[in-house]
Amino acid sequence: MECQIMRFGVLYDFRNPPHDKWFTPWGEFYGGAFEHMAAVEEMGFDAISLAEHHGDPDGYNPGITATLATAAARTSRIRVGTNIIQTPFHHPVLLAEELAVIDIMSCGRLDVGLGQVGQTFNMEFGMFGMNPRYRPSLLDESLDVIIGALTEDEPFDYHGKRFDLKGVWINPKPQQKPLPIWVVAAFSQKAMDRVARRGLDVGAAGGYFLGLTGGDTWQQWLDGWRTACVRNGRDPNYARINTFGTCFVTDDPERAWHKHREGLLHSFNYQRQGVRPYAEMMLNTIPQVPEDIPGWQGLFKTPEQAIAELVEAYGNDNAPDELHLMATKAGLGWDESAEYLRNFAEQVIPAVADL
């Protein structure tokens, strides 16, 4: 198999906890985020990506197309993308138009990650007057419409369960042909089959909020994905794979942990109306102290420890095509985040880029 160069990026969820200890006025917070993206580009990272949620007490970037366009305007080389757009909350024609314009504004640097909204966030459907049971069909039909709108040269009609559209056509079209689109397929066989059947690139389960690579979880996902590819008549290696994890690289992990442990506990346990805390979903319990977070020892690593984990998890042709690191957590400011990411860029990436 041809050797691929692994790419590294940074993922922004724009969470700004409304606590006196950690809250930053929103104008200052957003300004700091875009300055941070420019610094990440200067460090040599390959990509940045933005998350989306709605009605969240921490913020969580409800205006994803606005922040995406701003990120494109504040950078010049680095690829910009979504990780992910919660597709059911967007009309597919309007979303296709916005993505096409952002791709043009960025001079063809846009990557689009789409998802169907996890069951954890069913309360968001209520905000929009939508039935969460329709999430699979909303995603499937949106993919049909979005891909058609981005690529078809003539108007087309679309008749589905959720959308009945006439004369769909957008102008301008994106600069990239085709516009790179990937769809998250975290754990379920149905989700993997959806992506493999369409021949799209895929968003994978990885370290997520608990670590850098996910270790055994990553390998289980990769095995399941390759099986889904074969099941749907695809080469197991046809797709580009995108995943994300959490790790802050420092020469003194113990000192960094003690400095940021309370903020990390909030990020892991944060409460939201109608949503089970992440900790409860994963563990059926809520950690009372930061040291109850599973794998807490690995959230801060030395460069050598990060390299060792990446080699162990991603060696032997098991690496994703792209790994994004979480930009920050509660109580971890933009300047401190930039310091940890610079350590990763300068001391880790050169050692593992060709995995």
Side-chain angles (χ1 to χ4, degrees), residues 6 218 222 226 241 310 313-322 355:
M6 187 175 172
W218 161 251
L222 187 60
R226 288 171 172 168
I241 299 174
L310 289 164
Y314 294 159
N316 299 317
D317 293 329
N318 283 337
D321 295 275
E322 197 157 318
L355 282 174

Side-chain angles (χ1 to χ4, degrees), residues 333-352:
W334 293 121
D335 289 344
E336 292 170 310
S337 166
E339 178 183 345
Y340 296 134
L341 288 169
R342 189 174 295 279
N343 290 338
F344 190 93
E346 294 179 352
Q347 300 181 57
V348 178
I349 290 178
V352 298

Side-chain angles (χ1 to χ4, degrees), residues 9-80:
V10 178
L11 170 60
Y12 297 80
D13 59 16
F14 289 91
R15 286 175 57 189
N16 185 20
H19 297 273
D20 292 340
K21 188 172 184 177
W22 299 316
F23 179 74
T24 302
W26 279 108
E28 180 183 342
F29 179 82
Y30 277 112
F34 296 121
E35 290 177 5
H36 188 274
M37 293 176 192
V40 163
E41 179 176 57
E42 181 271 329
M43 293 174 199
F45 280 91
D46 301 294
I48 55 177
S49 58
L50 285 61
E52 173 193 23
H53 276 296
H54 299 271
D56 192 285
D58 283 6
Y60 227 132
N61 195 23
I64 190 166
T65 53
T67 51
L68 186 63
T70 305
R74 293 293 298 272
T75 56
S76 60
R77 174 198 59 82
I78 200 167
R79 294 194 66 81
V80 295

Side-chain angles (χ1 to χ4, degrees), residues 6-205:
M6 187 175 172
R7 301 200 313 174
F8 292 90
V10 178
L11 170 60
Y12 297 80
D13 59 16
F14 289 91
R15 286 175 57 189
N16 185 20
H19 297 273
D20 292 340
K21 188 172 184 177
W22 299 316
F23 179 74
T24 302
W26 279 108
E28 180 183 342
F29 179 82
Y30 277 112
F34 296 121
E35 290 177 5
H36 188 274
M37 293 176 192
V40 163
E41 179 176 57
E42 181 271 329
M43 293 174 199
F45 280 91
D46 301 294
I48 55 177
S49 58
L50 285 61
E52 173 193 23
H53 276 296
H54 299 271
D56 192 285
D58 283 6
Y60 227 132
N61 195 23
I64 190 166
T65 53
T67 51
L68 186 63
T70 305
R74 293 293 298 272
T75 56
S76 60
R77 174 198 59 82
I78 200 167
R79 294 194 66 81
V80 295
T82 59
N83 195 0
I84 57 172
I85 292 175
Q86 307 295 349
T87 311
F89 302 145
H90 300 262
H91 191 285
V93 177
L94 179 58
L95 182 57
E97 290 179 322
E98 292 174 330
L99 295 173
V101 171
I102 293 171
D103 189 54
I104 293 168
M105 290 170 57
S106 68
C107 299
R109 291 185 287 127
L110 181 62
D111 296 313
V112 180
L114 302 173
Q116 67 176 7
V117 188
Q119 293 183 7
T120 305
F121 301 98
N122 276 353
M123 56 80 62
E124 297 185 23
F125 284 89
M127 290 177 57
F128 293 100
M130 302 171 70
N131 189 334
R133 297 193 321 179
Y134 297 161
R135 60 164 52 85
S137 55
L138 282 166
L139 176 58
D140 275 326
E141 294 188 16
S142 291
L143 286 170
D144 291 340
V145 175
I146 291 168
I147 293 171
L150 292 171
T151 57
E152 294 292 335
D153 292 327
E154 300 293 332
F156 65 92
D157 296 343
Y158 185 85
H159 306 291
K161 293 181 180 179
R162 310 300 164 211
F163 299 102
D164 189 21
L165 310 175
K166 296 181 179 179
V168 176
W169 185 74
I170 70 167
N171 185 41
K173 293 289 198 291
Q175 179 171 321
Q176 297 179 91
K177 300 183 185 305
L179 183 66
I181 294 176
W182 60 269
V183 177
V184 66
F187 295 104
S188 76
Q189 179 175 311
K190 286 184 178 179
M192 291 184 179
D193 285 343
R194 172 191 293 117
V195 181
R197 182 172 59 251
R198 289 178 177 271
L200 296 173
D201 293 336
V202 65

